[in-house]
Every structure is written in C-alpha cells, then in structure tokens.
Amino acid sequence: MTDYDAGRNKVDDYEVLLSSEQIAKRVKEIAEVISNDYRGKRPLLIGVLKGAVIFLSDLIRFLTIPVEIDFIAVSSYGNATASSGVVRILKDLEQSIQGKDVLIVEDIVDTGLTLNYLADNLGSRQPNSLRVVTLLDKPDRRKVKFEPDYCGFNIPDRFVVGYGLDYGEDYRQLSDLRVLDE
Ligand code: IMP
Ligand code: MG
C-alpha cells in the first residue's frame, strides 16, 4: 500500500528509521518490564495527546496487569518543528490522581520541556508514584535535565513522523517511523 500525506505526496521514499515490526517487538519488551514492575498494582496510564495514542494502544494490549487509562493534551510546538518552550494544558485529566500509581505515556522526549512540566504538574497532585514511559528519546536535544523511567529507543536528532507522531497533523497513521527531512 502507498501512504500519502494530506498534500498527496508519496511517503514511500521517506527513510524508515524504525519499522512497525521493530516497534512492535520493543513495545512488547517494555510492556513485560512494566507488567513486572507494577505487579499487584493497577496503574493509571496517562497518554499525552495526540502523539502517544498509538503507542499507548499497542502498549496496553501487551500488559498483563490491570490498568486504567486517561489522557492529557499539552501544546508546546504549535505547528512547527522547533520547540517554543511554552507548555500549555489544552485538555486536563477527567479524574483526581491522588494516591494512584501514575505512568505518563509519551511518544518522544526531545528538549524535555513538555515532560519536565508535566511531571511537575502531575507530581503536585499527590499521586502515590509517578513514572514516565516514552517510545522515543532524542537525548542530544535536551534543554532541561529529564530522564524517562522507560524508553523504547534512543534516536538521533532528526525529525520523525508516523506511529502517532505528526508534522502539522500529517503522517500520524503511518505504521513505520520515518524521517522527515526539511
Ligand atoms: P519536548 O518538550 O521538546 O521534549 O517535546 C516533546 C514533544 O515534541 C513531543 O511530544 C512531540 O509532540 C514533539 N516532537 C519532538 N520531536 C519530534 C519529532 O521528531 N517528530 C514529531 N514530533 C516531535
Ligand atoms: Mg507529544
């Protein structure tokens, strides 16, 4: 099947950084680690909209423990590829997280500004525990110190799309993770 973006550009030529098979294998591995770490618990997984929806959907189906899910939406980028450094909550959680074992599920850590802000904000709501799982990490791009508790892949400083990640809302539905070179 040929994938197109909204401008009907072919994306087959875009370099595949991680194939859907590689991603699935790694997501399963992370799910096993998380299932072990949270054995006997029922964590609340908080997906960061919108980029993390595909990762969260795949991750929870590999978990062997009961979970709840909720979503939060933040904006720090507008429609650009460079971080403005401004983080805003666009949609908040539906519930209190007080006393809960919270696991933030993110697509990618780049400058670290988003998760730094989210971890602070959610941490102040008195959860029992708070951890972060990210599918991707670009450690070279950090502006603030931030270490995810679980990470799928460290990737180089390139702009990637697919598997939930977008550029101007395009490409989220691609199964593979591809490099978008400007
Ligand atoms: P941070 O606050 O700079 O760590 O940015 C994290 C957010 O920026 C992610 O949740 C993504 O939405 C977005 N982002 C960063 N790098 C990429 C990329 O390579 N592709 C798509 N989105 C990205
Ligand atoms: Mg995101």
Side-chain angles (χ1 to χ4, degrees):
M1 198 185 83
T2 303
D3 285 314
Y4 294 89
D5 69 13
R8 295 288 174 266
N9 296 307
K10 258 174 121 180
V11 298
D12 283 357
D13 300 340
Y14 298 177
E15 179 192 337
V16 174
L17 187 70
L18 295 165
S19 70
S20 58
E21 291 81 11
Q22 286 174 293
I23 296 170
K25 182 167 172 278
R26 185 67 184 129
V27 171
K28 189 164 187 242
E29 287 171 3
I30 301 171
E32 278 164 18
V33 176
I34 291 173
S35 296
N36 276 321
D37 289 357
Y38 287 86
R39 187 74 55 212
K41 297 188 169 141
R42 184 167 168 273
L44 170 66
L45 272 59
I46 298 180
V48 184
L49 294 173
K50 303 170 201 168
V53 289
I54 309 232
F55 176 40
L56 182 139
S57 329
D58 282 349
L59 181 70
I60 58 175
R61 282 177 289 180
F62 286 126
L63 292 174
T64 56
I65 49 165
V67 291
E68 284 180 81
I69 63 170
D70 201 347
F71 295 93
I72 195 164
V74 294
S75 167
S76 58
Y77 276 78
N79 282 335
T81 47
S83 176
S84 61
V86 179
V87 180
R88 271 190 312 141
I89 292 190
L90 303 176
K91 179 215 168 289
D92 209 334
L93 304 174
E94 288 179 355
Q95 53 182 295
S96 161
I97 58 170
Q98 193 173 358
K100 297 203 171 180
D101 293 300
V102 171
L103 180 59
I104 302 175
V105 183
E106 178 60 303
D107 51 1
I108 184 166
V109 189
D110 186 30
T111 63
L113 289 164
T114 305
L115 277 174
N116 199 49
Y117 170 82
L118 265 184
D120 263 14
N121 183 297
L122 298 182
S124 72
R125 303 184 195 188
Q126 299 170 314
N128 183 53
S129 66
L130 180 66
R131 288 185 191 164
V132 173
V133 56
T134 184
L135 178 70
L136 307 167
D137 192 354
K138 287 188 206 168
D140 297 346
R141 295 252 314 158
R142 276 306 188 287
K143 286 187 184 163
V144 289
K145 197 171 178 295
F146 185 86
E147 275 295 321
D149 299 279
Y150 308 96
C151 172
F153 303 92
N154 278 346
I155 62 167
D157 178 14
R158 305 181 74 182
F159 198 83
V160 290
V161 295
Y163 199 75
L165 289 94
D166 75 308
Y167 173 68
E169 297 299 327
D170 273 326
Y171 310 113
R172 291 194 196 277
Q173 82 275 28
L174 305 183
S175 306
D176 302 316
L177 203 84
R178 292 177 185 261
V179 176
L180 191 74
D181 280 320
E182 311 295 294

